[in-house]
């Protein structure tokens, strides 16, 4: 066997081992996420709250309890989380929002929110009214393309 063939076999073996390890780590993470989702579902409550402010902030600047900050992994402490300041009853609290619903949370409005601990999982308008979903901003390329199509008299692409 030539040295090129040996190197190729070693590289293939390393790649195969890496794929197997990633597969099992992925399955373990998937099980862990399913357990966490079950816990969130078991603890959820519907609460009426007045949304004061919302921002993406680093966890140490967020105003969350020190016990929560201490429990977060070191890598997560640098990332920004969707933080919502809300008045729940007489208290003003900092809550962590689900990334999927962060954009539809209205500021300076009263909403009914499904909360699990300090985690907001769902938001509805008061009295069951649906909340307006803000439209995404169009990219510069999309804007230029639409302007060019309008000048050409063609129908805009959606």
């Amino acid at each position: 066997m030539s040295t090129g063939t040996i190197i190729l076999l070693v590289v293939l073996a390393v790649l195969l081992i890496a794929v197997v390890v990633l597969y099992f780590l992925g399955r373990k993470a998937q099980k862990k996420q399913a357990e966490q989702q079950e816990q969130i579902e078991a603890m959820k409550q519907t609460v009426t709250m007045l949304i004061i402010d919302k921002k993406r902030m680093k966890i140490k600047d967020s105003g969350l309890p020190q016990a929560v900050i201490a429990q977060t992994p070191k890598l997560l402490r640098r990332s920004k989380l969707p933080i919502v300041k809300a008045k729940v009853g007489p208290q003003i609290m900092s809550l962590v929002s689900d990334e999927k619903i962060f954009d539809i949370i209205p500021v300076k409005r009263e909403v009914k929110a499904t909360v699990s601990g300090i985690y907001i999982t769902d938001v509805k308008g008061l009295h069951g009214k649906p909340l307006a979903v803000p439209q995404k901003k169009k990219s510069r390329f999309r804007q230029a393309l639409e302007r060019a199509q309008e000048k050409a008299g063609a129908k805009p692409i959606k």
Side-chain angles (χ1 to χ4, degrees), residues 22 24 41 60-61 83-84 101 108 114 121 137 142:
L22 287 174
F24 285 110
E41 289 297 317
K60 63 181 177 182
D61 303 330
I83 304 294
V84 175
I101 65 161
K108 296 190 170 96
T114 305
T121 58
K137 293 181 182 177
R142 176 66 72 184

Side-chain angles (χ1 to χ4, degrees), residues 138-146:
K138 294 181 182 176
S139 65
R140 291 181 188 224
F141 175 74
R142 176 66 72 184
Q143 290 173 354
L145 183 65
E146 287 180 2

Side-chain angles (χ1 to χ4, degrees), residues 149 153-157:
Q149 288 175 344
K155 293 180 182 177
I157 301 172

Side-chain angles (χ1 to χ4, degrees), residues 26-71:
R27 284 188 56 189
K28 185 177 178 182
Q30 200 172 21
K31 286 179 185 176
K32 192 173 182 181
Q33 183 190 21
E35 289 173 8
Q36 288 174 347
Q37 196 62 37
E38 280 181 24
Q39 288 178 344
I40 287 173
E41 289 297 317
M43 297 287 291
K44 71 180 182 180
Q45 306 172 359
T46 303
V47 179
T48 302
M49 61 176 64
L50 174 68
I51 306 296
I52 297 170
D53 190 21
K54 67 175 188 174
K55 301 181 193 180
R56 295 188 197 287
M57 304 173 82
K58 290 185 178 180
I59 195 164
K60 63 181 177 182
D61 303 330
S62 66
L64 292 172
Q66 193 61 39
V68 173
I69 295 171
Q71 286 180 350

Side-chain angles (χ1 to χ4, degrees), residues 110-136:
E110 204 164 327
V111 295
K112 279 192 176 182
T114 305
V115 179
S116 178
I118 62 164
Y119 192 69
I120 301 174
T121 58
D122 191 24
V123 174
K124 295 182 182 113
L126 210 56
H127 308 297
K129 294 179 186 174
L131 295 173
V133 179
Q135 292 185 352
K136 290 184 179 178

